[in-house]
Amino acid sequence: MEILNKKIRECGKAEKNGILKVDSFLNHQIDVALINELGKEFYRLFGNCGVTKILTVEASGIGVACITAQYFSVPVLFAKKNKPKSIADGVYAASVNSFTQATNYDITVSKNYLSKNDKVLIIDDFLAKGSALMGLISLIHEAGGAVVGAGVVIEKTFQSGGELIRSKGVRVEALAKIKSMTENSIEFED
Amino acid sequence: MEILNKKIRECGKAEKNGILKVDSFLNHQIDVALINELGKEFYRLFGNCGVTKILTVEASGIGVACITAQYFSVPVLFAKKNKPKSIADGVYAASVNSFTQATNYDITVSKNYLSKNDKVLIIDDFLAKGSALMGLISLIHEAGGAVVGAGVVIEKTFQSGGELIRSKGVRVEALAKIKSMTENSIEFED
């Protein structure tokens, strides 16, 4: 998506450790007008799939998921990284390894909000090694729901996540695909 | 705001420990159509204040902040609860005590995204003891910016936060004000 590639070229910063810093518009400060264009594009891609719910994971997926959900007229459900006191005991849970933060954590969603009748679109900001997406897919399967697909803002195709998720038969659509990064250049897939 | 009070009456659940569970539409599953109405109301209240940025804190403030920001045509900045590797060293920081989770944590924002030129509207889901809002106000002051006010979805007026924040001269607007809760009833301010 050219508008997104342009923004990444202008404001993104490739760091030494394979991390792409886009905190000026995506995962710290949020350029809501840009995200609106991304939401529209996700709707163009998945709008005819009968989506009943959008699932993401806190924190940086929530903004994109909420803006996108306006086009689908469905609720957003965000998986929690810890199980706070204010969530009921009845949860679906999965384990996730974070590439960016180099930690493991559990994600949970309440059983009240995910069911076998749901057709779920997963939305997230990044696809790197795919652990968060695998966790979210697992939550949907545990609930007996259907995975419509996964819409991610940025896929780093030089990492293994996209291949992993697609090999499970899940449709993945990335709005920007980065095939390589060095400190001074970011190369996109055509 | 009657539409919100109605939703809280229908779907909210008062728990023994003073916690109001609204995870079916606000802070786990998100009713995006409802949040849109809240965003419109925040704009009616603060739309003429020259807001340049909306500040919130992860995770449950992000959805409301992003939907609201569409009306203001300004970016959202969300404070992080931990300092991940992908945020630069240069941050403003404040300490927060969570009423719901009974823990302390630090919130941070990058110095790149908050400045003395900013007129900041704070948006959050809950106002209970006011610790998160006090932390966010402190971040804005540290940056030299102006606090336009705080828009919260639900204020529990039987707790001390609203009084505390207003006593600092900060304008606080709550879209639902709960004056008392028992396990089977929720009473709103008029």
Side-chain angles (χ1 to χ4, degrees), chain B:
Chain B
M1 200 182 172
E2 192 40 43
I3 184 181
L4 177 61
N5 292 1
K6 185 167 175 284
K7 189 79 173 183
I8 295 170
R9 263 187 230 107
E10 287 171 3
C11 307
K13 202 175 152 193
E15 301 195 334
K16 278 179 189 164
N17 43 12
I19 289 175
L20 176 65
K21 198 171 158 182
V22 287
D23 66 357
S24 68
F25 65 92
L26 186 59
N27 50 20
H28 182 30
Q29 182 165 254
I30 302 175
D31 179 338
V32 173
L34 174 68
I35 304 300
N36 236 306
E37 295 304 314
L38 309 186
K40 240 178 261 180
E41 180 65 7
F42 284 132
Y43 186 69
R44 191 185 68 76
L45 292 163
F46 292 104
N48 64 354
C49 300
V51 172
T52 64
K53 196 158 288 190
I54 288 179
L55 178 67
T56 189
V57 57
E58 63 178 9
S60 44
I62 297 174
V64 185
C66 284
I67 300 285
T68 299
Q70 295 177 121
Y71 293 97
F72 288 83
S73 301
V74 300
V76 165
L77 179 65
F78 68 87
K80 306 233 173 184
K81 282 184 181 168
N82 293 298
K83 191 180 149 189
K85 279 199 297 186
S86 53
I87 294 284
D89 287 337
V91 297
Y92 300 117
S95 184
V96 170
N97 173 268
S98 165
F99 170 70
T100 317
Q101 299 181 33
T103 53
N104 292 304
Y105 53 86
D106 286 333
I107 57 173
T108 58
V109 296
S110 164
K111 291 184 179 177
N112 293 332
Y113 309 125
L114 210 50
S115 83
K116 64 179 168 51
N117 300 316
D118 277 315
K119 294 182 171 186
V120 184
L121 173 62
I122 298 169
I123 293 284
D124 208 359
D125 56 343
F126 268 99
L127 172 53
K129 297 202 167 169
S131 184
L133 284 196
M134 287 298 288
L136 292 169
I137 290 167
S138 155
L139 298 179
I140 299 166
H141 285 162
E142 212 185 332
V147 179
V148 165
V152 298
V153 178
I154 300 173
E155 177 180 355
K156 294 189 276 190
T157 60
F158 59 90
Q159 291 182 309
S160 55
E163 203 177 326
L164 172 68
I165 307 289
R166 290 179 182 100
S167 77
K168 306 288 180 191
V170 173
R171 178 182 170 195
V172 179
E173 300 281 356
L175 303 189
K177 289 184 175 189
I178 295 175
K179 65 178 176 190
S180 69
M181 300 187 327
T182 62
E183 265 184 273
N184 289 314
S185 86
I186 298 170
E187 296 289 325
F188 296 88
E189 303 263 354
D190 292 331

Side-chain angles (χ1 to χ4, degrees), chain A residues 26 35 38 42 60-69 123-125 153, chain B residues 66:
Chain A
L26 186 60
I35 304 301
L38 309 186
F42 283 132
S60 44
I62 297 174
V64 185
C66 285
I67 300 286
T68 300
I123 294 284
D124 208 358
D125 56 342
V153 178
Chain B
C66 284

